[in-house]
């Protein structure tokens, strides 16, 4: 084999293992010729997007020959009004994943290190390694972030800390007060990305609460997404809230048209459809209980989750169970790459999808 291309690639990229997404329905259809497939593997919204988001996109179709608004003016206005920040504090991303990458590109070098937790979201090590920085993994506590361990892991050359709250794939949730105290205790040269991809699913008002901290912490970057509760994963829209200076830096490294025009109008419309969001949350609460009841019946343990997914403990290797579920047309997510070889992560679906997943699990596990 000619390995010249690999030798020419920068060291960090050469060592990367690509992100493993949930298996697409079409792929399983091609492989197994199954027709009735359900996907509970990527924490997507089983109710789909808000109808007003779809209507907004249909209206915008006639403008597709034009470049999108590279400043995202309207979406930023809507976000600013909703969260009581200024548009200058907002950075839009092609999914919130892009924002994680922009922070890494703007602030990291191979001399610097990044702290994140064991069992935390897989994109943190990816964006860290891609720029050649060193990832420091803090040991988890009961599968959740251990903020004491994370604080202790910070060294003189640490520039960035990632916190996912709630975390994926564990669903663990840190109390707001503990997160705030952690950020307050950081050296001013250490940035904190607070990844709130699932914040809408958390009771109370954490989404409004953490925004208030921005006034005190210029090193805080809150990231959120339209992919999960808002059901727009296919469009790729996320945003960050920060101090204006941080947003200015992130805006310098992003592509000028990183959000397409359909995504911009759909996200704006989705944001104002609180009825659809409430339906989404109600479906999620009911489905979460349905899975918990089902796991109890099957004698399985699980990790309490604040998100729209739940990781079940099988007490045996998860991969063969994942494969056997695929054969039954049920796609879930193995989490071996998260250091959880005996868990499977299941996204909460509609009641009938949840029932089918539990039924398939029962057939496999009681044999
Ligand atoms: C899904 C997810 C994201 C980002 O998803 P995007 O589709 O890129 O917005 C970010 N963080 C966590 C923890 C996630 O699970």
């Amino acid at each position: 084999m000619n390995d010249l291309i690999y030798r020419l690639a920068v060291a960090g990229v050469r060592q990367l293992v690509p992100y493993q997404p949930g298996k697409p329905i079409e792929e399983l259809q091609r492989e197994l010729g199954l027709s009735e497939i359900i996907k509970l593997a990527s924490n997507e919204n089983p109710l789909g997007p808000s109808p007003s988001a779809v209507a907004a996109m249909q209206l915008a179709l006639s403008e597709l020959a034009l470049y999108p608004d590279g400043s995202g003016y309207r979406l930023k206005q809507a976000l600013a009004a909703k969260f009581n920040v200024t548009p200058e504090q907002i950075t839009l991303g092609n999914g919130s994943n892009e924002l994680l990458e922009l922070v890494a590109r703007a602030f990291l070098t191979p001399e610097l290190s990044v702290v994140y937790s064991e069992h935390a979201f897989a994109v943190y090590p990816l964006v860290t390694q891609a720029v050649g920085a060193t990832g420091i993994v803090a040991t988890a506590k009961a599968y959740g972030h251990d903020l004491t361990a994370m604080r202790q892991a910070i060294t003189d050359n640490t520039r960035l800390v990632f916190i996912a709250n709630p975390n994926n794939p564990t669903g663990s949730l840190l109390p707001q007060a503990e997160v705030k105290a952690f950020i307050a205790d950081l050296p001013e040269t250490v940035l904190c990305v607070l990844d709130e991809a699932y914040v809408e699913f958390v009771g109370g008002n954490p989404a409004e609460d953490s925004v208030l901290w921005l006034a005190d912490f210029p090193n805080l970057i809150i990231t959120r997404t339209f992919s999960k509760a808002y059901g727009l994963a296919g469009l790729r829209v996320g945003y960050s809230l920060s101090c204006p200076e941080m947003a200015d830096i992130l805006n310098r490294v992003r592509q000028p048209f990183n959000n397409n025009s359909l995504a911009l109008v759909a996200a704006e419309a989705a944001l104002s459809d609180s009825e659809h969001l409430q339906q989404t949350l109600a479906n999620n609460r009911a489905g979460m209980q349905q899975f918990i009841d089902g796991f109890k019946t099957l004698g399985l343990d699980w990790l309490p989750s604040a998100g729209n997914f739940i990781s079940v403990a099988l007490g045996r290797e998860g991969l063969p169970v994942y494969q056997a579920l695929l054969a039954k047309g049920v796609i879930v997510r193995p989490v071996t790459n998260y250091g959880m070889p005996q868990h499977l992560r299941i996204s909460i679906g509609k009641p009938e999808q949840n029932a089918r997943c539990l039924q398939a699990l029962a057939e496999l596990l009681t044999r």
Side-chain angles (χ1 to χ4, degrees), residues 298 300 312-334 336 341-346 357-358 360-367:
L298 292 172
L300 296 174
V312 59
L314 300 169
R316 61 166 103 169
E317 282 298 301
L319 270 176
V321 179
Y322 163 72
Q323 296 288 353
L325 285 171
L326 284 184
K328 290 177 177 288
V330 177
I331 310 174
V332 299
R333 194 69 160 264
T336 305
Q342 299 205 337
H343 286 82
L344 288 177
R345 193 195 69 191
I346 304 173
C357 178
L358 283 165
L361 257 185
E363 287 165 12
L364 291 171
L365 297 177
T366 53
R367 261 197 322 216

Side-chain angles (χ1 to χ4, degrees), residues 95-97 100 121 124 164 168 195 197-198 225 227-228 236-237:
S96 59
N97 273 333
L100 306 178
F121 187 44
Y124 310 151
N168 165 23
D195 180 345
Y198 301 95
T225 181
S227 299
K228 309 287 163 56
R236 317 302 305 126
V237 200

Side-chain angles (χ1 to χ4, degrees), residues 15-145:
Q15 283 150 24
L16 282 185
V17 180
Y19 181 80
Q20 297 170 1
K23 195 177 193 61
I25 289 177
E26 257 193 83
E27 190 177 300
L28 188 61
Q29 261 161 355
R30 273 197 304 275
E31 289 171 3
L32 299 184
L34 293 172
S35 53
E36 300 274 298
I37 293 173
I38 57 169
K39 182 184 178 210
L40 301 176
S42 300
N43 304 344
E44 294 144 339
N45 187 334
L47 305 185
S50 153
S52 45
V54 176
M57 283 189 281
Q58 272 155 351
L59 275 180
L61 285 177
S62 60
E63 307 284 318
L64 282 184
L66 304 178
Y67 276 99
D69 173 9
S71 73
Y73 178 83
R74 289 179 56 103
L75 178 55
K76 282 189 188 171
Q77 289 290 329
L79 287 165
K82 184 171 172 79
F83 294 112
N84 204 16
V85 296
T86 65
E88 291 72 33
Q89 293 180 268
I90 303 171
T91 310
L92 300 179
N94 197 260
S96 59
N97 273 333
E98 188 189 22
L99 293 157
L100 306 178
E101 193 193 7
L102 294 182
V103 173
R105 271 175 47 211
F107 289 98
L108 298 179
T109 68
E111 288 73 43
L112 297 171
S113 67
V114 180
V115 171
Y116 40 81
S117 175
E118 185 187 12
H119 313 306
F121 187 44
V123 171
Y124 310 151
L126 277 180
V127 299
T128 300
Q129 288 162 26
V131 294
T134 302
I136 302 176
V137 182
T139 306
K141 187 169 67 182
Y143 288 97
H145 290 30

